[in-house]
Amino acid sequence: MKTGSPPKRLMFSSFLLFFVILANQVGTGLSGFQRIIFQSAGHDAWISVFMAGAWSHLTVWVMLRTLKLNPNMDLYEVHKDLYGRYFGGIINTLIMLYMLTAVIVISRNYVEMVQTWIFPDLPTWLLSAFLAMLITYGVLGGIRIVVGIAFMSVILTIWLIVFLYFPLRYAEWTHLTPIMEASISELVQGMFKMSLTIVGFEILMFVYPFIRNKEHAPLAAHLGLFTTTIIYVAVMVVTLVYFSPGQLSKTVWATFSLFKIVVFPFLERFEYVAICVWMLVVLPNLMMYMWAASKGIKRIFGWKQKYALYTFALILVVVSIFFKTRIQINTLNDIFSKVALYFVFGYPWVLYAAVLLKRHFQMKRGGI
């Protein structure tokens, strides 16, 4: 099936794909992923993070190979072309639900972060509604606006990395030794647990048709992935050398705990500033996933995207209210991370094989 490219007014430069990948990968997961990985790989957790980054590069490579065969199709259209209207529609509905669930997971984790650190009595529905309004406003502007917000998010928040210097002054580098004490199975288990934190690059399969100069897309995508991997490895290493093993195993928000030691003469609680700035970090995640989810409604059922957007924004607020305790939120995170592991890191390989197989039979039927 041939599909025309999107209108030029909706397309953006491949240069911006770097910021899309980076902004969509760095989100609420960065605030507390260290404890989860440490529980599996111990002080070799930074190796698990590096392994997860390397596997992400391989996965993006196979995604790009699939998309190159269908340059004007997003994942929804690839499914319809590959599996047919009905079976493809079922799979697309599942993908759409995955995107909507990602919005709920990211939003609820950020709301919990604000409630834990700043406003413990803040109603969940209030901040969720505020986020829903921001998401709706951004997505209504179209993909170029969402990409622009991703660009601004990276530019306005990248300076937070500089403050990793403060905990490094108290580093105990012996916490990293002996290297490779964890077994291969423990390292792999830690890598799998990074799935919730490092996902986000799957948005490539939805924005790819809107990239203007697609020949440069692989470089931008891999540079974005590489930068994200370096950030996660750096944060993990700083966390390991600052906290003792006993402290880290009990610290839920390790990254913001690192910010607690940052003190200025004019500002005593820097972590409050970091949590507020963190909204700029999570907004591109929320908008990208919401844009992809609402786009799915248009692709599957032919409805107007803005009506799907309003409906999903309401669902976000209502569903968030039902997750009240830390245990419930952890359960939601665990379920979503397992689904993300299969969808993001496993399914692209199956999809690529299916696309190649169909292409082979088409060429054979055509006598080529």
Side-chain angles (χ1 to χ4, degrees):
M1 183 177 76
K2 298 277 186 180
T3 304
S5 60
K8 288 187 177 181
R9 59 183 175 82
L10 298 179
M11 302 181 79
F12 60 92
S13 172
S14 62
F15 161 75
L16 293 171
L17 183 60
F18 168 85
F19 296 94
V20 170
I21 297 292
L22 181 56
N24 214 51
Q25 277 193 285
V26 178
T28 52
L30 182 59
S31 60
F33 73 101
Q34 300 96 316
R35 178 178 62 93
I36 300 171
I37 315 304
F38 178 79
Q39 289 173 347
S40 295
H43 60 259
D44 286 325
W46 65 273
I47 301 177
S48 292
V49 177
F50 184 81
M51 290 168 60
W55 185 246
S56 299
H57 277 281
L58 289 173
T59 307
V60 164
W61 174 82
V62 80
M63 285 180 178
L64 287 166
R65 297 286 294 181
T66 304
L67 293 167
K68 191 175 180 180
L69 296 173
N70 306 277
N72 296 320
M73 296 184 186
D74 60 19
L75 184 60
Y76 294 121
E77 293 171 311
V78 170
H79 282 156
K80 188 180 290 187
D81 180 55
L82 183 64
Y83 302 123
R85 179 181 177 183
Y86 295 105
F87 187 58
I90 293 172
I91 296 179
N92 282 339
T93 301
L94 295 175
I95 299 299
M96 180 195 66
L97 291 174
Y98 166 86
M99 294 293 165
L100 180 59
T101 305
V103 176
I104 295 170
V105 169
I106 296 168
S107 172
R108 189 62 189 91
N109 276 274
Y110 179 72
V111 170
E112 186 201 18
M113 189 189 307
V114 173
Q115 291 171 328
T116 302
W117 287 84
I118 305 179
F119 302 116
D121 297 323
L122 181 71
T124 299
W125 69 266
L126 184 61
L127 187 51
S128 296
F130 177 69
L131 289 174
M133 286 188 291
L134 286 177
I135 296 166
T136 303
Y137 182 74
V139 176
L140 282 174
I143 183 62
R144 284 171 62 93
I145 296 297
V146 176
V147 170
I149 291 172
F151 172 79
M152 293 304 300
S153 170
V154 174
I155 297 300
L156 294 176
T157 60
I158 196 70
W159 55 271
L160 287 171
I161 299 175
V162 175
F163 292 98
L164 291 177
Y165 162 76
F166 287 85
L168 278 179
R169 294 183 300 174
Y170 307 99
E172 289 289 344
W173 294 98
T174 54
H175 289 174
L176 296 178
T177 57
I179 297 176
M180 288 299 295
E181 185 177 40
S183 65
I184 297 298
S185 63
E186 289 171 333
L187 291 175
V188 171
Q189 188 178 5
M191 181 184 74
F192 287 160
K193 288 186 176 180
M194 271 294 291
S195 58
L196 178 61
T197 304
I198 208 168
V199 296
F201 57 86
E202 70 273 16
I203 201 68
L204 172 66
M205 303 195 78
F206 300 90
V207 303
Y208 188 81
F210 297 91
I211 300 173
R212 187 178 299 115
N213 40 348
K214 293 181 175 59
E215 65 275 10
H216 302 305
L219 177 61
H222 284 290
L223 279 177
L225 270 178
F226 179 75
T227 304
T228 306
T229 302
I230 293 300
I231 290 173
Y232 278 120
V233 171
V235 172
M236 176 58 82
V237 169
V238 172
T239 303
L240 290 170
V241 299
Y242 177 76
F243 291 103
S244 68
Q247 289 174 323
L248 184 53
S249 62
K250 299 175 182 178
T251 304
V252 177
W253 310 101
T255 302
F256 286 111
S257 296
L258 293 175
F259 286 138
K260 286 179 70 174
I261 68 168
V262 179
V263 178
F264 297 104
F266 56 88
L267 182 64
E268 186 174 350
R269 301 300 299 269
F270 179 76
E271 69 272 20
Y272 288 178
V273 176
I275 291 170
C276 295
V277 172
W278 213 257
M279 182 176 286
L280 295 176
V281 175
V282 301
L283 268 180
N285 290 214
L286 295 168
M287 289 182 182
M288 281 288 178
Y289 280 124
M290 185 65 90
W291 173 82
S294 58
K295 196 76 172 176
I297 287 288
K298 184 178 180 180
R299 291 279 191 258
I300 300 167
F301 303 108
W303 300 346
K304 285 190 175 181
Q305 188 174 357
K306 65 177 182 179
Y307 296 139
L309 180 60
Y310 298 145
T311 303
F312 289 163
L314 180 61
I315 291 173
L316 167 63
V317 177
V318 173
V319 172
S320 296
I321 298 173
F322 291 99
F323 294 93
K324 300 178 180 179
T325 66
R326 177 73 237 179
I327 294 176
Q328 291 173 332
I329 296 171
N330 269 342
T331 302
L332 175 65
N333 292 342
D334 290 342
I335 294 173
F336 181 76
S337 64
K338 291 175 182 177
V339 174
L341 178 65
Y342 292 111
F343 169 60
V344 179
F345 291 96
Y347 179 65
W349 298 86
V350 176
L351 180 65
Y352 182 50
V355 169
L356 285 181
L357 194 61
K358 180 177 180 178
R359 192 178 182 86
H360 169 74
F361 283 117
Q362 285 177 336
M363 292 176 65
K364 192 172 181 181
R365 192 182 303 121
I368 301 176

